[in-house]
Amino acid sequence: QVQLVESGGGLVQAGGSLRLSCAASIRTFSVYAMGWFRQAPGKEREFVAAISFSDGRTYYRDSVKSRFTISRDNAKTTVFLQMNSLKPEDTAVYLCAAAVRGGISTSISHYDYWGQGTQVTVSS
């Protein structure tokens, strides 16, 4: 069974940083595309960042492009999201997702497996 477990969330002040981790129980992890999404209460789930399975290509939503960095460590079957210069509007549950098809996608439907999420709260 594929499992994704996020960690690293917490409460930070605006301008602070957090590093999220997603530990994946996937034997063929290296061929999966990985993504981060977020969902705030009463809002739709939205794409944050993704990284491809092969060459490490990345893609970000515009609002985080200059502040967030997605990376992966295939040996540790882990994907990371480094978040800097956090803003109150970044407050949400952040969810890790894995796609069997390894290309980058911003679409929720592209991803096959999801973690339960980790809460990020940015105070003003």
Side-chain angles (χ1 to χ4, degrees), residues 53-84:
F53 79 95
S54 58
D55 55 7
R57 292 182 179 181
T58 59
Y59 189 77
Y60 304 88
R61 70 179 299 110
D62 287 343
S63 62
V64 310
K65 190 173 296 182
S66 64
R67 300 182 294 120
F68 292 9
T69 302
I70 187 171
S71 61
R72 66 192 296 164
D73 185 334
N74 289 336
K76 295 181 173 64
T77 66
T78 302
V79 63
F80 305 95
L81 185 68
Q82 178 67 47
M83 305 186 295
N84 299 323

Side-chain angles (χ1 to χ4, degrees), residues 19-71:
R19 190 191 193 202
L20 306 184
S21 298
C22 173
S25 179
I26 305 175
R27 181 163 293 177
T28 56
F29 176 78
S30 63
V31 306
Y32 283 70
M34 302 296 297
W36 287 97
F37 291 74
R38 65 188 182 188
Q39 188 166 22
K43 297 182 179 179
E44 298 291 328
R45 187 176 301 177
E46 65 181 17
F47 170 80
V48 177
I51 185 166
S52 66
F53 79 95
S54 58
D55 55 7
R57 292 182 179 181
T58 59
Y59 189 77
Y60 304 88
R61 70 179 299 110
D62 287 343
S63 62
V64 310
K65 190 173 296 182
S66 64
R67 300 182 294 120
F68 292 9
T69 302
I70 187 171
S71 61

Side-chain angles (χ1 to χ4, degrees), residues 100-120:
V100 174
R101 296 185 179 273
I104 289 175
S105 177
T106 64
S107 177
I108 293 171
S109 64
H110 179 72
Y111 294 87
D112 303 290
Y113 305 102
W114 295 84
Q116 293 298 308
T118 185
Q119 177 71 48
V120 172

